[in-house]
Amino acid sequence: GAVVSQHPSWVICKSGTSVKIECRSLDFQATTMFWYRQFPKQSLMLMATSNEGSKATYEQGVEKDKFLINHASLTLSTLTVTSAHPEDSSFYICSARVEGSTEAFFGQGTRLTVV
Amino acid sequence: GENVEQHPSTLSVQEGDSAVIKCTYSDSASNYFPWYKQELGKRPQLIIDIRSNVGEKKDQRIAVTLNKTAKHFSLHITETQPEDSAVYFCAARPSREGNTGKLIFGQGTTLQVKP
């Protein structure tokens, strides 16, 4: 199947700093990628849809100025958590779909801890 | 928008028994329903999916049924094994999002298979 790679796998940052997470489709082009957030023992909550070459579409309640998404190429989307706070600590996962396919492939996730 | 409800939240079965997880969705226009298995700290893996024009699909010990009229779908795992222990998520894709692949997830079910 298609491979989606996410980097870093985990990161610890100080409160007030920004953290960038990368999501890459390694063997296919993805015009659309998705960013999810998952708290411990909870579901995947869709944060935003990342569109190559255009602005991301954010879900209701997600602060676009705090979670900056850039989809500059057909294989890379980035999520930047700006001015991170402890409540932003979570597991962030991206996914992408191969054009013409229904299956969504997930990255391995990034465990963000803000101290 | 679409809302997906999943039950039960936890399920414990004896090895060899069957396990059933149920989901309901709210948007009658949803047309794709995947099931994901997620082990602790890892990415979700697609285990089976079904489209809205099909009522049932089976893959070895795993089957999914869909009732479009009632707007619910279920995952059936037969002859469960300890390695089936994981968190299972159902999801639905609203058809209006068909071009992007956006998925809305249920809350998840923690399945424990006791040896």
Side-chain angles (χ1 to χ4, degrees), chain A residues 4 32 34 36 38 42-44 46 49 59 91 93 97 101-104 106-108 111, chain B residues 32 36 38 41-44 46 49 51 89 93 98-107:
Chain A
V4 176
T32 304
F34 302 90
Y36 293 86
Q38 187 177 33
Q42 293 191 25
S43 186
L44 290 85
L46 180 65
T49 301
E59 295 298 303
F91 194 53
I93 310 180
R97 184 174 65 95
S101 169
T102 52
E103 183 175 354
F106 284 85
Q108 63 267 51
R111 174 74 57 191
Chain B
Y32 174 65
Y36 287 87
Q38 186 182 31
K42 296 188 176 180
R43 76 186 82 194
L46 179 71
D49 56 11
R51 295 177 186 245
F89 291 98
R93 187 182 73 194
N99 292 330
T100 65
K102 170 179 175 179
L103 293 174
I104 304 301
F105 284 83
Q107 295 87 342

Side-chain angles (χ1 to χ4, degrees), chain B residues 66-81:
Chain B
L66 171 65
N67 184 325
K68 286 174 54 180
T69 302
K71 290 188 287 187
H72 67 69
F73 56 112
S74 301
L75 176 71
H76 304 253
I77 305 175
T78 59
E79 300 172 31
T80 54
Q81 302 167 1

Side-chain angles (χ1 to χ4, degrees), chain B residues 84-103:
Chain B
D84 293 330
S85 298
V87 180
Y88 291 81
F89 291 98
C90 63
R93 187 182 73 194
S95 65
R96 66 182 68 85
E97 305 292 342
N99 292 330
T100 65
K102 170 179 175 179
L103 293 174

Side-chain angles (χ1 to χ4, degrees), chain A residues 10 29 35 44 61 63 79 83 91 102 105 108 113 115:
Chain A
W10 60 271
Q29 294 183 332
W35 287 97
L44 290 85
E63 298 176 60
L79 168 68
S83 186
F91 194 53
T102 52
F105 296 91
Q108 63 267 51
T113 302
V115 297

Side-chain angles (χ1 to χ4, degrees), chain B residues 1-114:
Chain B
E2 175 64 284
N3 182 51
V4 179
E5 296 288 332
Q6 184 172 345
H7 299 280
S9 57
T10 60
L11 180 59
S12 181
V13 300
Q14 285 296 133
E15 182 177 1
D17 288 349
S18 295
V20 180
I21 303 171
K22 299 181 179 181
C23 287
T24 60
Y25 60 98
S26 61
D27 188 346
S28 58
S30 289
N31 61 1
Y32 174 65
F33 307 92
W35 285 89
Y36 287 87
K37 176 183 180 181
Q38 186 182 31
E39 297 179 353
L40 189 62
K42 296 188 176 180
R43 76 186 82 194
Q45 299 277 7
L46 179 71
I47 57 172
I48 196 167
D49 56 11
I50 191 167
R51 295 177 186 245
S52 58
N53 59 349
V54 176
E56 183 174 357
K57 184 177 178 180
K58 189 174 182 179
D59 182 5
Q60 299 182 343
R61 297 187 296 109
I62 296 173
V64 57
T65 59
L66 171 65
N67 184 325
K68 286 174 54 180
T69 302
K71 290 188 287 187
H72 67 69
F73 56 112
S74 301
L75 176 71
H76 304 253
I77 305 175
T78 59
E79 300 172 31
T80 54
Q81 302 167 1
E83 50 265 38
D84 293 330
S85 298
V87 180
Y88 291 81
F89 291 98
C90 63
R93 187 182 73 194
S95 65
R96 66 182 68 85
E97 305 292 342
N99 292 330
T100 65
K102 170 179 175 179
L103 293 174
I104 304 301
F105 284 83
Q107 295 87 342
T109 297
T110 300
L111 174 64
Q112 181 186 29
V113 180
K114 298 179 180 179

Side-chain angles (χ1 to χ4, degrees), chain A residues 4-102:
Chain A
V4 176
S5 178
Q6 203 170 325
H7 178 82
S9 297
W10 60 271
V11 57
I12 302 173
C13 71
K14 291 185 177 180
S15 186
T17 62
S18 295
V19 174
K20 180 184 285 187
I21 302 170
E22 294 185 347
C23 180
R24 294 181 183 273
S25 55
L26 297 186
D27 50 1
F28 67 100
Q29 294 183 332
T31 55
T32 304
M33 292 184 176
F34 302 90
W35 287 97
Y36 293 86
R37 181 174 181 176
Q38 187 177 33
F39 289 107
K41 298 185 179 181
Q42 293 191 25
S43 186
L44 290 85
M45 299 301 297
L46 180 65
M47 299 174 66
T49 301
S50 174
N51 306 299
E52 187 269 334
S54 64
K55 292 183 179 180
T57 304
Y58 289 82
E59 295 298 303
Q60 191 174 7
V62 178
E63 298 176 60
K64 60 180 66 177
D65 293 331
K66 181 166 186 62
F67 299 100
L68 300 179
I69 292 173
N70 188 320
H71 196 149
S73 77
L74 287 171
T75 59
L76 174 64
S77 175
T78 61
L79 168 68
T80 301
V81 183
T82 63
S83 186
H85 292 283
E87 56 265 31
D88 298 324
S89 299
S90 188
F91 194 53
Y92 293 87
I93 310 180
C94 67
S95 78
R97 184 174 65 95
V98 177
E99 292 295 331
S101 169
T102 52

